[in-house]
C-alpha cells in the first residue's frame, strides 16, 4: 500500500526530504506518494501528513490529497492518473500559482462577554434572535467577505466551528498577492473594532480542488 500526498506537474522540482517520497508520473502529471505507514491516527500523524504537503507546496503547484487516501501500489497510482488525467489537469490549472488563505470572523473579542446569551424561550424570542443573527451575517459579508473576495481568484464560505463565528471562509489567492491580502485583513480589522478577524495560511488549496 502507498499513502498519497499530492498531485503535481511532471517534471517538477526535486522532492523534499521530509519523508521517503516518490513520484509516479503519467502524461505530464505526477502523484507524490510514500510507503503506507501502519500507525494509529493521532493529531501528530495528521500533522505529519500536512507537513509533507506544505513542504511540497513551497516550490510547486499542487492538488493536495487528504490524509488516509491510499492505493495498492505505484501501478495503481499510474492507472488512476491516466483514468482521471483530464479532470486532474483541469483542477491543477485552476489553482496554479495560488494558495489558500482562511479567515474567521468572530462577533466579539475575547473577554468582552463572560457568558453566552441565554437560549430563546418563546417563539418571538427565537425569531428575534434569528433575525439578529441574519443581520449580523449580512453585515459581515458586506464589510469583510466582499472586500476580501474581490482580492481572491475564488472564495468559499465554510461551516462555522463556533457559535460566535459570523464568517468562516477560504480564499484562493495568487502567491504574489498573499501579503496585500493579509494587509487588507488588517485594515478591515481596524475598520471593524467590534469584530475579531483571524487570518491563517497560506495553506495548500484543499477548499478549491475537490480532492
Amino acid at each position: 500500500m502507498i499513502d498519497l500526498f499530492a498531485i503535481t506537474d511532471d517534471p517538477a522540482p526535486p522532492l523534499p526530504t521530509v519523508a521517503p517520497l516518490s513520484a509516479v508520473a503519467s502524461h505530464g502529471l505526477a502523484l507524490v506518494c510514500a510507503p503506507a505507514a501502519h500507525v494509529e491516527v493521532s493529531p501528530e500523524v495528521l500533522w505529519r501528513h500536512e507537513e509533507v504537503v506544505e513542504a511540497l507546496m513551497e516550490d510547486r503547484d499542487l492538488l493536495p490529497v487528504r490524509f488516509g487516501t491510499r492505493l495498492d501500489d505505484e501501478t495503481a497510482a499510474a492507472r488512476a492518473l491516466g483514468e482521471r488525467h483530464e479532470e486532474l489537469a483541469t483542477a491543477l490549472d485552476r489553482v496554479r500559482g495560488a494558495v489558500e488563505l482562511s479567515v474567521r470572523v468572530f462577533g466579539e473579542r475575547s473577554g468582552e462577554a463572560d457568558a453566552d446569551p441565554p437560549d430563546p424561550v418563546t417563539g418571538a424570542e427565537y425569531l428575534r434572535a434569528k433575525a439578529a443573527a441574519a443581520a449580523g451575517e449580512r453585515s459581515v459579508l458586506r464589510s469583510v467577505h466582499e472586500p476580501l473576495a474581490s482580492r481572491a481568484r475564488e472564495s468559499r464560505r465554510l461551516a462555522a466551528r463556533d457559535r460566535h463565528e459570523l464568517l468562516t471562509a477560504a480564499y484562493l489567492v495568487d502567491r504574489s498577492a498573499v501579503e496585500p491580502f493579509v494587509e487588507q485583513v488588517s485594515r478591515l480589522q481596524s475598520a471593524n473594532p467590534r469584530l475579531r478577524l483571524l487570518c491563517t495560511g497560506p495553506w495548500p488549496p484543499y477548499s478549491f480542488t475537490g480532492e
Side-chain angles (χ1 to χ4, degrees):
M1 297 290 289
I2 56 174
D3 286 323
L4 310 185
F5 291 94
I7 296 158
T8 187
D9 293 301
D10 178 59
L15 294 170
T17 59
V18 293
L21 301 174
S22 60
V24 178
S26 175
H27 300 89
L29 296 179
L31 202 162
V32 181
C33 56
H38 299 286
V39 295
E40 294 292 329
V41 177
S42 67
E44 291 75 18
V45 170
L46 293 172
W47 171 243
R48 181 62 175 166
H49 178 93
E50 182 63 18
E51 184 181 34
V52 172
V53 177
E54 290 185 25
L56 289 166
M57 184 185 74
E58 289 182 3
D59 59 4
R60 75 201 72 209
D61 297 310
L62 55 77
L63 299 175
V65 178
R66 296 192 184 278
F67 174 81
T69 305
R70 292 181 168 181
L71 289 173
D72 289 338
D73 51 33
E74 293 190 355
T75 300
R79 183 167 58 250
L81 281 179
E83 291 172 350
R84 299 182 57 195
H85 179 269
E86 183 174 352
E87 171 193 350
L88 294 172
T90 298
L92 184 57
D93 283 340
R94 178 186 180 191
V95 301
R96 192 175 300 283
V99 292
E100 180 172 326
L101 290 169
S102 173
V103 175
R104 300 169 69 193
V105 180
F106 298 85
E108 60 192 22
R109 292 182 179 274
S110 297
E112 286 187 348
D114 297 326
D116 292 332
D119 292 330
V121 176
T122 68
E125 289 176 345
Y126 171 79
L127 292 175
R128 282 195 295 270
K130 189 172 182 180
E137 181 178 333
R138 288 193 299 270
S139 176
V140 169
L141 289 177
R142 288 192 304 270
S143 62
V144 177
H145 178 62
E146 291 176 5
L148 293 178
S150 70
R151 290 179 171 268
R153 286 193 200 173
E154 298 182 39
S155 62
R156 179 169 295 178
R157 293 176 62 192
L158 307 174
R161 306 176 206 170
D162 183 280
R163 66 180 297 174
H164 296 299
E165 282 187 19
L166 299 178
L167 173 71
T168 303
Y171 302 87
L172 185 64
V173 179
D174 289 342
R175 289 177 186 261
S176 61
V178 168
E179 185 174 346
F181 185 95
V182 174
E183 290 172 351
Q184 176 71 351
V185 173
S186 295
R187 286 193 292 271
L188 292 173
Q189 176 65 87
S190 297
N192 296 275
R194 294 179 65 85
L195 303 176
R196 179 164 62 93
L197 279 63
L198 175 63
C199 179
T200 58
W203 308 112
Y206 284 103
S207 299
F208 303 95
T209 63
E211 288 299 307

